[in-house]
Every structure is written in structure tokens, then in C-alpha cells.
Amino acid sequence: MDNTSELQPNSTSGGGESASTDDKSWERFYSAVITFQICIICISITGNILVCTAILITDRLRKSIASYFLISLAISDVLTASFPMSFEVHSYLINLQWDLGAGACRFYTTMYLIAAPSSVINLLAVSIDRYRAISRPLLYIQNMNPTKALVAIFVIWTYVIAFALVPLMGWNDNGVVILRNENGENYCRFDINEHYSLLSSIINFLIPMFIMSVIYYHIYKIAHEHAKRIRRIGTNVSSSGRLGVEESALITEKKNMTRSIKAAKTISIIVSAFYLSWLPHTAYSIVGIFCKECIQGKFKLSVILLLIAYTNSAMNPFLYGFHNRDFREAFKRLLRFKRAF
């Protein structure tokens, strides 16, 4: 999940490789990366602001506890696009050099360390929330409220920010963030201890991924059992021609359960998209920790994998719109309102 200086685009390894490679080839590569990344930034910021606005203007979305976590996730995506990605575009424009000083370099690397973990922990929180709503709906309604959701979100962001600040507090490589080559050019590097990087990948990516896989397996089992009960209700009604007390209660339960399962499916798609985006880059980073020679000279690959990871910040608004009617209707209203002006 985290980059070392060898994996980070803004590094001396990138500068050294670019100096020994055909200039025109690198110019075309940088141009493509910059164009693609600017598109991701624009789509991510615009789309995730639309998501937050859609939740605020739609009663059903606003009343859903899961929406609190979705807003938190959207904020994470906006921060990713606004800071790490924007800093990287600036660096690409000046051939990977860094002219913003050590303070800005530390801010950039810290915001990068906040970006992905905040997304995955928010996804874990919303997954747990959906599982509780499906597995114990009555208990969930009684115990879960907006205040508890806000407390959970506060704890998530406190943890993520604290974990990202650890390198600044001493657990780093050597305390140097700006490197200068023989030509006097400055480069921003990730001053991250390898053990910290590995720990972050395990705690903030692999373990949440495993937990969410288990959660959605159980949600699938619950949905399967629910479908069997619904079929049994239909059989009983067809044979008797009328509804009993149990059947009436189950039909009411069906409406609530169907809505919860549909919401869980939407979140599962969002979770899957996140892991498909970030898993290649995380695997590449872990390989780089144990085998630096394996990634030597593969700077372009590291940039491409990071771009794939960043696309996730722009994907979520489309996933909401495709799989949730309330979001689709809210997006339509917002777009019509904007066109009117």
C-alpha cells in the first residue's frame, strides 16, 4: 500500500532512469500520464462532491446510516485527488523534480499515506454496518444511530491520520526527504521505513480485505436463506389462498431485507473495485520491500500501477449511479439544476 523511495515516481531512481532513456519516449510517457491523471482528478473531485450533495438532498439516502460512511469515503477520494495526485502532476511537469521544498514534500507523502488507508477502513466500516443491518435487523434498528456512526468515522480518521504521521515522528528511513543529484536537481522521496511500509500493507490492506471477504460470504449465506424463506411464503400463499400472521410478518421483513441486501451488493461491488484497483500496486510494493532487484528499472510499471490505483477515486460515483436508483435520481436532479444555470 505504501511506497518506498524506489517505488515512488518522485525519486532518484526515476530521474536516473529517465536520464538514460530516450528523451522523446519519456516525454510521450509523461504527457500521457499527466493527461490521464488530470482527467482522474477532475472526475474524482466533481463526482465525489456530487455524491455528497446527492446524499444531503435525498431523504432516503440522508436517513441511511451507511450514507455517513459513504460521505467519509467520498471525502477520502477528494483528498486523494486534491493533494497526492495534484503534487505528482506538478512533479511530472518538471521532469520529476521537486521545487516546493521539504515541508511540501512531507505534506505530500503524508497525504499519500492517508489516502488509501482511509478508503479501505471506511469500506470496512460500511461493510460491517451492512452486515449488522442484515444479520440482526431489529437489534440494528434499536442500537445504531447517526451519533454512533459519526463517532465511528471520527475514530477511523483519527487512526488513519495517526498512522500516517508515524514516519514524521521518527519511524522513518533517515529523516531526509529531499535528494539532490549531481546536476543539482532536487527530488522528493518517501522517507519510510521498510518495516512500517510492510506493516501498513498488512494492517491497512490485507487484513481488512480478508475481513470484508468473510463478511460478504456471510451476507451471501444470509441472502440465500432469505430467498428460500421468500419462496416458502409464496408456496404457502398459493396453496392456502390467504396470508397467515407469520406470512404477513415475513412479507414485511422481505421488503426491509431486500433493500438491505441490495445496498450490501452495491457496497460489495465498490469493495471489489477498490481491491482490483489497489491490489496490483500493493503487491508491487510488497515485492519491492523483499526484493529491490526485482523492481529495479521498472519505473514506468510502478507509475502505471499507481495510476490504476488512483482510478478508484473516480469510479465510485459511477458505481453508485449504476446500482442505486436513489443516487441516479439525485444525480439527474443535480445535473438538470446545473444546466439551468
Side-chain angles (χ1 to χ4, degrees):
M1 177 92 48
D2 301 317
N3 281 329
T4 62
S5 60
E6 288 80 4
L7 297 171
Q8 178 61 24
N10 300 41
S11 67
T12 54
S13 65
E17 184 183 348
S18 64
S20 62
T21 315
D22 180 68
D23 289 341
K24 290 185 178 179
S25 173
W26 278 96
E27 285 178 6
R28 289 194 295 268
F29 178 73
Y30 287 146
S31 297
V33 170
I34 290 168
T35 302
F36 188 67
Q37 201 151 335
I38 288 175
C39 290
I40 296 175
I41 291 171
C42 295
I43 294 171
S44 179
I45 292 176
T46 303
N48 284 288
I49 289 176
L50 279 175
V51 167
C52 295
T53 307
I55 291 172
L56 294 175
I57 67 170
T58 307
D59 288 340
R60 187 180 296 180
L61 292 173
R62 191 170 59 249
K63 292 176 181 178
S64 170
I65 298 299
S67 293
Y68 288 76
F69 298 106
L70 294 181
I71 287 179
S72 184
L73 177 62
I75 291 172
S76 173
D77 289 334
V78 169
L79 290 178
T80 301
S82 300
F83 296 107
M85 293 177 66
S86 298
F87 277 122
E88 286 173 15
V89 167
H90 174 77
S91 182
Y92 288 132
L93 287 170
I94 54 175
N95 195 30
L96 298 183
Q97 296 177 49
W98 190 263
D99 60 354
L100 301 176
C105 178
R106 289 190 176 92
F107 178 74
Y108 154 59
T109 55
T110 301
M111 291 304 298
Y112 174 88
L113 295 177
I114 289 173
S118 62
S119 295
V120 71
I121 302 300
N122 275 301
L123 284 171
L124 176 60
V126 76
S127 300
I128 293 172
D129 176 75
R130 288 302 85 199
Y131 174 71
R132 292 180 61 200
I134 291 172
S135 61
R136 296 182 178 180
L138 295 179
L139 188 63
Y140 175 83
I141 292 172
Q142 293 173 359
N143 294 336
M144 195 59 182
N145 56 56
T147 300
K148 291 183 178 180
L150 291 173
V151 170
I153 291 170
F154 175 79
V155 171
I156 289 169
W157 281 98
T158 300
Y159 160 75
V160 169
I161 293 172
F163 199 95
L165 292 176
V166 168
L168 295 180
M169 294 185 286
W171 195 10
N172 51 41
D173 187 14
N174 56 20
V176 177
V177 295
I178 299 294
L179 295 180
R180 178 172 295 182
N181 65 11
E182 62 276 7
N183 297 322
E185 298 169 334
N186 291 333
Y187 296 93
C188 175
R189 67 183 288 271
F190 270 73
D191 183 32
I192 298 174
N193 183 281
E194 290 182 350
H195 296 96
Y196 170 89
S197 182
L198 180 61
L199 183 65
S200 178
S201 295
I202 293 173
I203 293 179
N204 295 328
F205 190 87
L206 298 180
I207 291 178
M209 179 175 68
F210 174 76
I211 293 174
M212 280 190 273
S213 298
V214 172
I215 286 174
Y216 283 105
Y217 170 71
H218 284 288
I219 288 177
Y220 168 79
K221 288 177 62 179
I222 293 171
H224 183 67
E225 291 298 321
H226 174 69
K228 288 169 62 177
R229 294 175 70 188
I230 296 304
R231 286 195 295 270
R232 188 175 68 248
I233 292 174
T235 302
N236 292 341
V237 172
S238 298
S239 60
S240 65
R242 59 188 179 84
L243 294 176
V245 175
E246 180 184 0
E247 285 78 9
S248 298
L250 285 174
I251 288 176
T252 302
E253 179 189 341
K254 172 190 174 182
K255 295 178 181 179
N256 296 329
M257 184 65 75
T258 301
R259 188 180 300 114
S260 296
I261 289 174
K262 188 174 181 180
K265 287 180 179 178
T266 300
I267 302 302
S268 70
I269 293 170
I270 294 169
V271 170
S272 299
F274 179 87
Y275 283 119
L276 288 174
S277 300
W278 278 96
L279 186 58
H281 181 262
T282 302
Y284 181 89
S285 299
I286 293 175
V287 168
I289 293 172
F290 293 103
C291 179
K292 293 187 185 300
E293 295 78 14
C294 299
I295 64 169
Q296 198 71 31
K298 294 182 173 61
F299 174 69
K300 286 186 178 181
L301 177 61
S302 71
V303 173
I304 292 170
L305 292 180
L306 187 59
L307 281 177
I308 292 172
Y310 281 153
T311 57
N312 183 257
S313 296
M315 289 169 60
N316 288 341
F318 295 99
L319 296 176
Y320 298 144
F322 284 139
H323 298 281
N324 188 295
R325 185 176 61 185
D326 293 325
F327 272 110
R328 284 198 300 272
E329 294 300 321
F331 289 159
K332 288 177 183 178
R333 292 202 304 273
L334 287 170
L335 293 174
R336 283 198 297 266
F337 177 79
K338 287 187 175 182
R339 283 198 297 268
F341 288 89

